[in-house]
Amino acid sequence: MHDFNPNRARFLSVLLAGLLCVPLLGTVTLADANPRDPLANPAIDMDGYLRVSREAAQHRASRRITEAEFLRMSREPNTIVLDARSPQKYDELHVKGAINLAFSDIAVESLARTIPDKNTRILIYCNNNFANAEEPFPRKLATASLNLSTYTALYNYGYRNVYELGPLVALEKSKLPFASTPGKSAAR
């Protein structure tokens, strides 16, 4: 009898999901590949996005960490905690010491300014990591979790030293320190 290994199970589920999506790719790519398509846009690449997403999913499988690991790693040198939620939600409540770069603002220049060294260890968390805190951490669909988009974007921009807070933690039981930016969220 084999022991249950959650990391292996997670990897296999990501792999299976990727394999199930392969037949759909043909229908997605036909319009993008047609040079006579009046809607073709060389600045948008669905095939590339799906490829990078699969690569990022494989990379991410071994980089989800516990709350205790997140807390320990956040205190180590050359590590930043990145909060990719909106500035308003960040101001309401965030992990103490986290820097805010809203997902919608992630771009070549903003990343170069915020995290110039691609070897910096980056710890990420999102709304779906904290329960019982709907105001500052409104729950998203599991398939639309901000961690997924943020991890994929960072991976796509060449950041490979990224770790994600894995579990769902009740805010009132969390060991992580939290802070707010008084007065800012009310002004927006």
Side-chain angles (χ1 to χ4, degrees):
M1 190 158 143
H2 292 52
D3 290 333
F4 176 75
N5 180 331
N7 285 333
R8 184 169 186 210
R10 217 177 352 243
F11 172 76
L12 291 174
S13 66
V14 168
L15 181 64
L16 179 60
L19 290 174
L20 292 174
C21 289
V22 169
L24 299 175
L25 291 179
T27 60
V28 171
T29 61
L30 292 178
D32 292 341
N34 183 352
R36 292 181 297 226
D37 178 1
L39 300 178
N41 182 340
I44 299 172
D45 181 0
M46 179 60 105
D47 289 340
Y49 176 78
L50 293 171
R51 179 184 46 74
V52 168
S53 295
R54 284 189 301 275
E55 288 175 18
Q58 289 176 346
H59 190 263
R60 175 183 170 267
S62 65
R63 294 183 165 263
R64 297 182 67 240
I65 57 177
T66 67
E67 184 182 30
E69 290 170 313
F70 191 96
L71 183 58
R72 177 187 53 78
M73 292 168 78
S74 71
R75 295 175 175 157
E76 295 174 356
N78 201 33
T79 301
I80 66 159
V81 176
L82 179 66
D83 186 323
R85 296 175 303 138
S86 71
Q88 178 186 351
K89 294 302 177 187
Y90 172 85
D91 288 345
E92 286 179 35
L93 193 65
H94 57 269
V95 171
K96 189 174 183 177
I99 60 170
N100 182 233
L101 178 59
F103 181 76
S104 59
D105 293 332
I106 292 177
V108 174
E109 292 300 319
S110 63
L111 280 170
R113 271 191 318 273
T114 308
I115 314 168
D117 181 358
K118 290 187 178 183
N119 294 313
T120 299
R121 180 167 48 198
I122 304 168
L123 306 180
I124 63 171
Y125 64 90
C126 76
N127 296 350
N128 289 18
N129 285 121
F130 302 106
N132 306 328
E134 272 298 308
E135 275 301 310
F137 297 104
R139 190 170 7 118
K140 293 180 171 277
L141 291 175
T143 54
S145 167
L146 187 57
N147 276 349
L148 300 176
S149 343
T150 303
Y151 198 101
T152 301
L154 291 171
Y155 183 90
N156 198 18
Y157 282 100
Y159 294 86
R160 299 293 191 269
N161 199 7
V162 180
Y163 292 84
E164 173 190 333
L165 179 61
L168 175 63
V169 179
L171 189 68
E172 67 277 6
K173 294 181 180 178
S174 178
K175 293 174 178 55
L176 296 172
F178 289 91
S180 64
T181 309
K184 280 209 170 182
S185 48
R188 289 189 185 173

